[in-house]
Amino acid sequence: MPDDNLSLTAKREAAVTALADVPREPGAKKPDPILVADDVKRHFGGLLAVDVDHVEVQRGSITALIGPNGAGKTTFFNLLTGFDRPNSGSWTFNGRSLHGTPPFKVARAGMVRTFQLTKALSKLTVIENMRLGATQQKGESFWRAMLPFTWRSQEDAITQRAEELLARFKLDTKRDDFAGSLSGGQRKLLEMARALMVEPELVMLDEPMAGVNPALTQSLLEHVSNLREQGMTVLFVEHDMDMVRDIADWVVVMGQGKILAEGPPETVMSDPRVVDAYLGAHHDQSLAELEEQLETGTLAEEVAAELGQEPAETVAVERTGETKDGR
Amino acid sequence: MDWGNILELSLRELIGVQAIVFALAAIGINVQFGYTGLLNFGQAAFAAVGGYGIAVIVTTYDMSFWLGLVVGIVGAIVLALLLGIPTLRLRADYLAIVTIAASEIVRLVGRSAWGRDVFGGSDGITGFSNAFYDLNPFTEPFEFGPFQFRERVLWVLVVGWVLVAVCTLVVWLLMRSPWGRVLKGIREDEDAVRSLGKNVYAYKMQSLVLGGVIGALAGMVYSLFQGAMQPDVYATNFTFFAYAILILGGAATVFGPVLGAAIVWFAFQFIDLALRGAIQQEYIPSWLMDANDTGAVRFMLTGIVLVLLLVFRPQGILGDRREIALDAR
């Protein structure tokens, strides 16, 4: 089916072209944003976990949100989807403000998330998990639930849609198994398929590859890029750079709650700020060296320098360079 | 020992009023705990509200029996809302704490000297069941083999089992519908259900109200049968007894609570009579136990049976072993 292949590349092509002229800087404006967040802050006690000035997500693209552990990615996700409340800030989805909206309304608006720790509903069968995802079910109202003839035909339609999705995610053989009996990777697939039952415009995947057998990651990646082919926008959290490079059209890097950098995967990954955030500014030194420096006091100088007050920075760096060569 | 007599008396309990009352209470808990995962430790309060609804309206205020029924049910709904509104947004444990406290509050207010004029104090209220027995269509005792039921008991049993059947039917219908699917989803992981666009809070509230109303029916049946509404019947052990019955029968199964209630009351009576018989015949030496101890010993034996059940069949009699196995993963 050459047509399929053509449209497959066309969608990616379209997303990349649309983003081509976007400046590679934090908070860059996108031509057609589906999600816009402004000045979102979340404190946990004294810790400022999320401090995002401005970020936009381009419609029809796959945007990766990356960053080291503790960068605030998941917290930011929770804020956007209503699972956590920010101390300040505002954001709009499709031009509609979602600030203070409870999670279920966020999902109904067309913004559906998955979770880092997969939430397959263990004691429901796979097909029941899927059916649960469908929205606007008549049989979900208390009084109508007792009158099966009022919801039977809708249930059949939902089941058919669920079976199609299961087939696409290769879970159709597990249809009547308990979700709790699935493997970790299968649960991820189920959760993604279930999210699609909501018919979202924006799919937010929190670490879709975490804890998945490497043999399965490739197929998971394909499923993620397929979402774009079906006209959905994807925002996903990941900390494995290689995964991101393969499928993302745009990458947003978070570190210590802030947006550090933005851009297409190739550009972002060579950005020194990103490398520092990921590996630490001292990533090419061993702990023993750092300890030695700490004892001699040079590290303190260096830290002070990095914080941007002392011009003595170059000296400190040179000196550490010497010790390194000496070994 | 007259085994025939023991069996006959025990079988009467199998379908007796106690079994009906605790079947209803356990059906309510099954909706809340079994299907939705809500830890309502205050089922006794809902039963007490149901009983007080009729008793207070009919005896204290001298109004219609039917109004009493309505007040009892509305009272249970109001209690569910009162308990649910502050706690259902929080973690499951908060509901457990609040409901167990509320059930004691209801009982203590009911038996307080302060409310004696309305609730009758610790003696409770009597004289409200005439309207119910006036409706009794049975004019003579019913005989079935060795069993004989007086017309009053027969009337309570018929009404009670019809109620149990209706409640079971409602639960069966609901739990195979999309509504029930949402509840089961909430039991497994409420955040996942939220992320799929369901108003979890509203569903939990509906579950709490439904279970509470069924609990109120239990209280109504019991106080009408007794002809008296006594607050101390509805102490916390009422709730825990209903939980034990539910777990025995199988939580999250449609017939589990009914089966559990029937078996427990049958076993209670059977153990009690068998022990008494054995003591009388001196099969059990008197230094070990006498007839006065049977009440305590039957609780001990029931406890042992429950422990064994949880070890060897944690899913209950009707439960699905595979579901329990998933928890171990």
Side-chain angles (χ1 to χ4, degrees), chain A residues 272-301:
Chain A
R273 280 170 304 183
V274 177
V275 177
D276 280 0
Y278 251 80
L279 304 166
H282 302 277
H283 61 87
D284 46 1
Q285 287 169 291
S286 75
L287 270 180
E289 287 168 24
L290 284 173
E291 204 174 338
E292 194 176 288
Q293 288 172 35
L294 194 67
E295 280 161 11
T296 56
T298 49
L299 193 64
E301 279 173 41

Side-chain angles (χ1 to χ4, degrees), chain B residues 89-104:
Chain B
R89 287 186 201 278
L90 307 171
R91 267 200 341 255
D93 346 12
Y94 291 92
L95 181 71
I97 296 164
V98 168
T99 48
I100 199 169
S103 100
E104 282 299 88

Side-chain angles (χ1 to χ4, degrees), chain A residues 196-275:
Chain A
L196 298 189
M197 287 297 290
V198 189
E199 301 184 306
E201 279 182 70
L202 174 61
V203 185
M204 318 232 326
L205 306 169
D206 195 352
E207 304 222 6
M209 323 298 170
V212 173
N213 176 350
L216 245 172
T217 49
Q218 203 52 44
S219 104
L220 258 172
L221 286 177
E222 270 166 36
H223 285 300
V224 174
S225 41
N226 262 328
L227 299 180
R228 179 185 50 204
E229 303 316 317
Q230 281 139 31
M232 281 172 260
T233 309
V234 180
L235 176 63
F236 76 103
V237 165
E238 186 53 63
H239 54 223
D240 188 331
M241 293 268 211
D242 295 328
M243 312 273 178
V244 172
R245 201 180 349 246
D246 288 345
I247 59 163
D249 306 317
W250 192 260
V251 178
V252 176
V253 187
M254 277 186 86
Q256 296 178 334
K258 291 183 168 34
I259 306 283
L260 294 180
E262 272 192 54
E266 317 79 55
T267 325
V268 159
M269 287 180 193
S270 50
D271 190 318
R273 280 170 304 183
V274 177
V275 177

